[in-house]
């Protein structure tokens, strides 16, 4: 009886520690929320939270064309020069912003990107480690407010008339560190509330926050350009800090911390353990609370291949994230150059395709029960999609829109699948014996490794694009090919398992059909 009272007392303490906003809403409604209501709150808040992260991340790509307005020296060394003629200097260009308006301005912008992403990827590993050990709500709030401050400080350089490259470099590095708190935290929170059933579809839809954030950030930054590029940073910075406060007051981190029963994350293999005597149950709960170590998480089957695959997948995705508006504004479409704001708005169609791709990849992987096969298939399809976008995207605006949308589907589809459903699956892998305290660490390992590729892609693009955009697209297609090949072992394993399953089902039906004959 004593142990039962201790469990009840612990549950009451957890309920008293719930976010202030949730307790306030429950007080108004005069009843406790249902499990489904909590899930809805989690999905909405984490969706808006991470969308705001990406909104602040996208602004740099929109402002690039203003900071460095000079046309890069485009070299068309191969791939049917006929389709890429007319790369003359653009008339009526505005003066840029020192030091980015110099001849090496494009390379400097690439260095800014890699500084942000390098600190982001390093910070990701620490953020995941902390996320499995401390309150995710506090970590997420701290990261969002810090991101808002340093995003705004980049824009403040406009009003203070700052032209020091190192000022912008340091601000971006600190913004990257604060941004690294976002992804491990939101995936861990969602993973705490949703079991594996339909996880691919749910997280595929939920992962639209990445593209919605990119679109929102693009539209806000493009709209603010006419008032001064500083507003393109300050407005999203204020937005994410405000959302951070909402997260602090309203986000329920997990069913355990809310003191309620988790209805969906109970796996069948642990059902018997949950029904045994209470003292053993308490020991099981204590075991589940032990956080998994960094090296131990790397040894979970599938973590290393998917992490390395994401390295190359994210290299492709983030090159588009940071350079697509710049590429569109510096490439003649139907013989004309688009304005900076129009190019930024048009680039959002890539992210719209990403929304569709993430949902499709999640749904298909659920139906097939094959994450690796689905991810590899999308990655291989991205190769011709990139080729055709570069080859025919300049023919007309409609061709550009259609091919950009298709490229977004196949580039962002596997990226979304790996960073959400795959990370959540591996963070609750059967080898962990029911331990759920690996979600943030595994997510950080996979996305942190991917972020290293995300840093390298934009950096290389900054240098390579000054010579030839064809070389940039060649690099992206090679990266996509390598990403697909890295999943080969997992794809073969999934195919073998499905073949064996089909054989066993066939043999089972054959044995059942032969029973009447034997009886006769």
């Amino acid at each position: 009886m004593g142990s039962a009272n201790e469990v009840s007392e612990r549950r009451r303490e957890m309920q008293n520690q719930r976010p202030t906003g949730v307790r306030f809403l429950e007080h108004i409604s005069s009843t406790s929320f249902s499990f489904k209501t909590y899930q809805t709150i989690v999905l909405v808040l984490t969706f808006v939270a991470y969308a705001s992260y990406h909104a602040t991340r996208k602004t740099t790509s929109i402002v690039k064309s203003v900071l460095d307005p000079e046309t890069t020296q485009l070299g068309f060394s191969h791939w049917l020069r006929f389709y890429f003629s007319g790369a003359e200097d653009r008339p009526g260009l505005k003066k840029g912003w020192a030091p980015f308006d110099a001849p090496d301005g494009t390379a400097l912008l690439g260095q800014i990107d890699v500084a942000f992403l390098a600190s982001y990827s390093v910070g990701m590993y620490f953020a995941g480690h902390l996320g499995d050990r401390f309150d995710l709500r506090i970590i997420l709030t701290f990261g969002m407010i810090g991101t808002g401050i340093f995003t705004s400080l980049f824009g403040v350089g406009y009003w203070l008339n700052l032209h020091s490259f190192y000022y912008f470099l340091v601000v971006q590095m600190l913004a990257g560190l604060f941004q690294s708190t976002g992804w491990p935290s939101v995936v861990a929170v969602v993973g705490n509330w949703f079991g594996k059933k339909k996880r691919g579809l749910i997280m595929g839809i939920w992962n639209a926050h990445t593209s919605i954030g990119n679109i929102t950030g693009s539209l806000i930054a493009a709209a603010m350009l006419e008032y001064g590029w500083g507003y393109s940073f300050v407005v999203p910075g204020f937005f994410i800090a405000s959302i951070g406060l909402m997260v602090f007051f309203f986000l329920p981190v997990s069913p355990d911390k809310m003191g309620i029963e988790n209805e969906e994350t109970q796996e069948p293999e642990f059902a018997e353990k949950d029904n045994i005597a209470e003292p053993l149950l308490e020991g099981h709960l204590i075991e589940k609370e032990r956080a998994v170590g960094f090296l131990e998480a790397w040894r979970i089957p599938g973590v290393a291949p998917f992490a390395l695959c994401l390295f190359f997948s994210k290299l492709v995705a983030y090159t588009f994230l940071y350079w697509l508006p710049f590429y569109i504004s510096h490439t003649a479409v139907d013989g004309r150059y688009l304005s900076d704001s129009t190019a930024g708005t048009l680039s959002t169609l890539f992210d719209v395709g990403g929304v569709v791709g993430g949902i499709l990849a999640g749904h298909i992987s659920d139906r097939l029960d094959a994450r690796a096969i689905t991810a590899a298939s999308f990655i291989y399809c991205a190769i011709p999609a990139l080729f055709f976008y570069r080859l025919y995207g300049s023919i007309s605006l409609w061709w550009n829109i259609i091919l950009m949308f298709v490229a977004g589907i196949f580039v962002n589809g596997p990226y979304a699948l790996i960073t959400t459903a795959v990370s959540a699956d591996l963070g609750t892998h059967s080898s962990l014996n029911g331990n759920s305290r690996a979600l943030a660490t595994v997510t950080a390992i996979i996305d942190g490794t991917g972020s290293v590729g995300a840093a390298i892609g934009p950096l290389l693009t900054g240098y390579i694009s000054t010579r030839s955009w064809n070389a940039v697209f060649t690099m992206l297609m090679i990266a996509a090919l390598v990403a697909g090949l890295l999943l080969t072992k997992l794809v073969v394993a999934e195919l073998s398992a499905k073949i064996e399953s089909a054989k066993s089902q066939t043999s089972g039906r054959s044995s059942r059909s032969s029973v009447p004959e034997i009886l006769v």
Side-chain angles (χ1 to χ4, degrees), residues 9 21 24 145 224 273 298 313 384 412 421 456 491 504:
E9 182 64 27
F24 176 71
I145 293 176
M224 292 295 106
K273 295 182 181 180
W298 267 106
S313 295
N412 284 339
I456 292 175
V491 169
S504 63

Side-chain angles (χ1 to χ4, degrees), residues 13 101 123 143 149 155 290 373 417 429 454 471 514:
E13 290 177 0
D101 59 348
I149 292 172
R290 183 185 65 84
I373 293 174
L417 179 65
H429 195 270
S514 63

Side-chain angles (χ1 to χ4, degrees), residues 499-513:
I499 292 173
E500 289 297 323
S501 177
K503 286 182 178 179
S504 63
Q505 290 177 2
T506 302
S507 61
R509 286 195 295 268
S510 299
S511 61
R512 286 195 298 272
S513 63

